[in-house]
Amino acid sequence: LKSNPSNNEEKEAQTQLTKSDELQRLHSQALSAYEQEDYEAAISLLDEILAVCVWDAELRELRAECYIKEGEPSKAISDLKAAAKLKNDNTEAFYKISRIYYQLGDHELSLSEVRECLKLDQDHKKCFSLYKQVKKLNKQIESAEEFIREGRYEDAISKYDSVMKTEPEVPIYTTRAKERICHCLSKNQQATEAIKVCTEVLQLESTNVNALKDRAEAYLLEDLYEE
């Protein structure tokens, strides 16, 4: 404006300046809400700012953190993916994405994201530790599924027992392992055991279609037609 003053430009500049002040005010409020652990309010404020400041990696990371705290990790993923692209060598974003996928039970996507972290920094301690864990679990699950395809149900059961030992802290892996063990027992005509394990799965997930089908097959083997 100082170098080239004109009425039109002055009006435009004033509008932008007002908007800038408003965004700074919202930013302060968002940080304050985050510090007070009012994550819902922080998300709402960050939504407003990010509608204008689309390419701000830090704000996206902050909103992702709020989503995680609010128990909505899948919503955090898109913000973290954007932050990983917007900021060079953003190993922390890749690590967080990998952790979220792992917690959600998607071990294959988790492995893919943690590899991206290690491409940027092969000595990254947290990523390397997570990589070892996910790779081991992934290998066990792939091996178990291969056994199932080959009809080697006892071997598959043993492998899924190993999966539960490898990851006892994240419940979804135990549930999925038991679901597949239930399937193997049913296919292997071990009806009593199948009914027991399938029932355990259905106590955790009452609408698990696979467990319902496999338990039905086991009931048929036992001539329990009503069940």
Side-chain angles (χ1 to χ4, degrees):
L1 271 172
K2 283 176 184 170
S3 68
N4 186 15
S6 78
N7 287 342
N8 282 351
E9 285 176 354
E10 187 169 357
K11 195 175 176 187
E12 173 64 13
Q14 276 312 133
T15 306
Q16 294 292 345
L17 192 59
T18 305
K19 189 186 271 187
S20 170
D21 289 343
E22 172 66 4
L23 288 170
Q24 285 184 319
R25 188 179 63 77
L26 290 173
H27 186 215
S28 297
Q29 286 181 344
L31 290 174
S32 173
Y34 178 78
E35 280 161 17
Q36 289 166 23
E37 299 182 11
D38 187 352
Y39 303 117
E40 196 178 334
I43 289 166
S44 178
L45 291 159
L46 289 164
D47 286 347
E48 280 189 69
I49 306 168
L50 280 160
V52 182
C53 309
V54 184
W55 313 117
D56 192 312
E58 268 85 13
L59 290 178
R60 286 190 174 276
E61 287 175 336
L62 182 60
R63 188 169 66 176
E65 203 55 45
C66 292
Y67 280 134
I68 291 166
K69 300 279 191 190
E70 280 286 282
E72 296 187 89
S74 45
K75 284 188 180 177
I77 289 171
S78 61
D79 272 339
L80 288 168
K81 283 191 170 179
K85 287 195 181 89
L86 292 166
K87 205 156 73 174
N88 287 339
D89 300 340
N90 197 343
T91 51
E92 192 61 25
F94 284 115
Y95 172 73
K96 283 181 180 175
I97 297 166
S98 179
R99 285 253 6 131
I100 291 170
Y101 277 133
Y102 186 73
Q103 296 291 328
L104 292 172
D106 200 328
H107 51 94
E108 288 169 335
L109 280 176
S110 175
L111 191 60
S112 163
E113 294 294 336
V114 80
R115 278 180 175 142
E116 290 301 318
C117 172
L118 291 171
K119 276 183 199 170
L120 295 172
D121 178 5
Q122 61 187 26
D123 299 321
H124 195 289
K125 283 185 182 171
K126 287 194 295 186
C127 283
F128 187 66
S129 171
L130 181 60
Y131 171 71
K132 283 198 299 185
Q133 173 72 3
V134 186
K135 192 181 177 192
K136 182 180 179 184
L137 192 76
N138 200 50
K139 197 172 177 186
Q140 287 174 333
I141 292 170
E142 281 180 354
S143 176
E145 288 301 312
E146 185 61 35
F147 286 143
I148 290 172
R149 284 191 289 275
E150 291 169 2
R152 295 167 60 186
Y153 298 117
E154 291 290 341
D155 291 333
I157 289 166
S158 170
K159 194 59 76 174
Y160 268 119
D161 279 332
S162 300
V163 167
M164 290 190 283
K165 289 191 182 86
T166 298
E167 185 43 87
E169 302 297 322
V170 184
I172 195 162
Y173 294 108
T174 299
T175 307
R176 291 289 160 269
K178 285 187 174 183
E179 180 193 311
R180 298 306 276 157
I181 289 169
C182 142
H183 175 72
C184 293
L185 290 165
S186 182
K187 286 284 183 192
N188 216 26
Q189 303 203 330
Q190 292 168 259
T192 310
E193 273 300 299
I195 291 164
K196 177 175 170 285
V197 177
C198 293
T199 301
E200 284 176 19
V201 175
L202 288 161
Q203 282 165 350
L204 297 166
E205 290 181 354
S206 59
T207 56
N208 187 311
V209 176
N210 294 326
L212 286 166
K213 288 197 294 188
D214 288 321
R215 189 168 70 171
E217 292 291 337
Y219 280 142
L220 284 173
L221 291 169
E222 295 283 274
D223 299 334
L224 295 167
Y225 302 119
E226 287 292 328
E227 285 84 341

